[in-house]
Amino acid sequence: EVQVGCGVAIKWIQRAGAQGDEIVVSAQQFSHEPLQPFVDEFTEETGIRVSFFANPAAGGDQVAQLTPQFAASSTPVDVLSSSDEAAPLFVRAGWMEPLDDIIPDGFWDDWDQSVRDYVAIWSTVDDQVYRIPHGWSVGYFWTRQDILGEMGMEAPASWDDLRTLGEAARADGKYAFADAASQPSLAFVYAAYVVAQAGGSIFDFDEGTRTAFEFARELVDQEYFPRSAANWTYDQLNAAYMDDALVTMRQWPFFYDVSRDNTEWFAEEKTAIVLPPAGPGGQRATWAGAWGWMVPRFSQKIDAAKEYIRFMTAPERAGPLAEAMSDYITPRQSTFDVLQGQGLAANLAEYSEAGVITPRPFHPRVSEAQAIVDTLFNGYLTGQYTIDDVIANGQRDIAALTE
């Protein structure tokens, strides 16, 4: 076991005994069992055996885990499932192999435009692609249709509608909307969501960012959004929603399974996903990020590693992978053809067709930039800063990252 930054303990896989056609693939622990049938098929087709390396769940932990190894020109894995926090750093450091030689003609035609835009921003450098998504995390707008029906109201389609719902919900002892807005990281997620609806560029701390932050603070001050949510984790957000305290919320796809596990509470009308509300410019928007396959250039088995990625990202495997686990649902026509509107695939298709998904806000030093937003937005929601302080300090601190 080796201790690296942030106190992360790593038990490195012993690869000295891995002879011939055997590769080590990093993937989050929950995915190992569902992936195994696909791995068995891959081994049968190619003769290449696979062992798994357990990825951390958080992108920042992945940076801490692997940076010392890559900086020493070594790698514990041949195929890396990489986070948004890690990928730009690893690529720009020169630690990853481009994947263009395994991407066939027409490959991206199968994918929604939102993913193509995302790949161009997050996974491409000098016209070379270094990461192919295997999952697509969209911030969905979840609504309690049962409560809305009792109120005689529709799901809010705009910020003004959310204000109207806020008055009705407050009178009923509920909150119209919530998200987890704690530090670290979760405040940024919520901030980026409302800034997307305002048409702003969050790392520029521009007028759209100001408008969105002021709206978020208004929701708190008017008691349409719980003040305590500035300290919530996602578990607390989920609990408040399932305790009937919230009428709507922004939450990641994993709530689909969380809600269904609560069998005594669950009903379809309690977990309806609708398009997100529109900001003052009329733009309905949310954002999405991804984990994706990469190959460290320090691998001794680059060709075999690339063959694994080619196999796993082929269109004929997109639908079966999505059936195996919700985290591997990607907006590809090949996915929708197989799932035929089942589960979250229907909601993802609706969001994709409506064009409401924007790429995760990008910065080359993304972890540091997100931390700046995290601190200032959370501090503004809790009354530590004025909006003028937030905009001025944000612009100053972001500019300092590029000096």
Side-chain angles (χ1 to χ4, degrees):
E1 220 172 49
V2 180
Q3 294 287 335
V4 298
C6 301
V8 177
I10 305 164
K11 187 173 184 179
W12 300 113
I13 289 180
Q14 298 300 312
R15 302 179 60 236
Q19 300 296 325
D21 294 321
E22 181 171 353
I23 58 172
V24 178
V25 174
S26 84
Q28 291 180 337
Q29 187 71 46
F30 71 83
S31 69
H32 293 185
E33 184 176 347
L35 280 174
Q36 192 60 53
F38 299 93
V39 166
D40 292 343
E41 182 186 352
F42 170 72
T43 299
E44 183 176 354
E45 179 178 306
T46 66
I48 301 169
R49 290 169 291 130
V50 173
S51 57
F52 284 121
F53 174 94
N55 251 9
D61 290 343
Q62 184 177 57
V63 172
Q65 182 192 70
L66 293 175
T67 295
Q69 289 278 298
F70 292 160
S73 300
S74 65
T75 177
V77 301
D78 301 298
V79 177
L80 174 65
S81 172
S82 183
S83 65
D84 285 339
E85 289 83 0
L89 168 64
F90 291 170
V91 171
R92 283 166 174 75
W95 295 337
M96 296 292 130
E97 279 285 313
L99 302 177
D100 299 83
D101 57 338
I102 61 165
I103 299 174
D105 291 343
F107 176 77
W108 295 111
D109 295 342
D110 188 42
W111 298 74
D112 183 69
Q113 186 62 49
S114 62
V115 181
R116 290 182 243 172
D117 293 342
Y118 164 89
V119 169
I121 295 169
W122 280 91
S123 303
T124 304
V125 175
D126 295 332
D127 295 324
Q128 292 186 303
V129 175
Y130 288 83
R131 182 173 60 146
I132 300 176
H134 60 65
W136 190 234
S137 295
V138 177
Y140 287 114
F141 189 51
W142 303 78
T143 62
R144 291 289 304 267
Q145 298 286 30
D146 56 330
I147 295 175
L148 288 167
E150 292 168 1
M151 292 179 171
M153 303 184 73
E154 300 288 334
S158 67
W159 286 6
D160 284 339
D161 290 345
L162 201 50
R163 291 179 173 106
T164 300
L165 176 60
E167 289 294 315
R170 187 179 62 189
D172 197 32
K174 296 179 175 61
Y175 295 99
F177 173 68
D179 197 347
S182 61
Q183 296 186 73
S185 303
L186 303 191
F188 166 78
V189 171
Y190 173 40
Y193 174 75
V194 288
V195 170
Q197 292 168 8
S201 178
I202 195 166
F203 293 135
D204 291 336
F205 283 85
D206 57 5
E207 283 305 305
T209 304
R210 177 189 289 269
T211 297
F213 282 21
E214 288 179 327
F215 174 68
R217 177 64 180 272
E218 176 193 342
L219 296 183
V220 173
D221 290 344
Q222 294 299 319
E223 299 180 2
Y224 305 157
F225 183 106
R227 192 173 297 275
S228 59
N231 297 308
W232 282 3
T233 64
Y234 287 139
D235 286 344
Q236 290 168 297
L237 174 64
N238 294 343
Y241 190 86
M242 292 188 290
D243 284 343
D244 306 333
L246 310 176
V247 185
T248 70
M249 70 172 178
R250 187 224 63 90
Q251 183 55 291
W252 296 114
F254 70 82
F255 184 69
Y256 183 89
D257 294 325
V258 169
S259 63
R260 282 156 177 78
D261 288 341
N262 188 349
T263 55
E264 292 185 5
W265 174 85
F266 174 75
E268 294 285 351
E269 64 269 19
K270 294 180 178 180
T271 60
I273 295 174
V274 301
L275 295 177
Q283 174 62 46
R284 289 179 178 262
T286 187
W287 64 271
W291 288 70
W293 300 120
M294 306 181 80
V295 175
R297 71 177 180 89
F298 311 112
S299 167
Q300 300 302 303
K301 300 174 182 177
I302 287 175
D303 290 343
K306 287 186 174 183
E307 183 61 19
Y308 175 89
I309 296 176
R310 182 206 61 76
F311 179 90
M312 286 295 182
T313 60
E316 61 267 26
R317 233 145 262 120
L321 278 165
E323 287 182 311
M325 52 186 151
S326 60
D327 277 70
Y328 276 56
I329 296 176
T330 52
R332 303 177 65 169
Q333 189 57 50
S334 53
T335 302
F336 299 143
D337 288 345
V338 171
L339 294 190
Q340 294 291 318
Q342 299 175 48
L344 276 175
N347 305 115
L348 180 56
E350 179 188 20
Y351 271 49
S352 296
E353 290 166 8
V356 301
I357 303 173
T358 62
R360 181 178 186 146
F362 178 79
H363 191 281
R365 295 171 63 176
V366 64
S367 294
E368 294 162 282
Q370 287 181 179
I372 290 168
V373 174
D374 218 37
T375 299
L376 292 173
F377 181 63
N378 180 274
Y380 178 58
L381 291 182
T382 56
Q384 298 174 52
Y385 306 112
T386 68
I387 189 61
D388 289 338
D389 290 337
V390 167
I391 299 302
N393 293 345
Q395 291 175 347
R396 178 201 65 203
D397 294 345
I398 292 293
L401 292 181
T402 60
E403 290 178 356

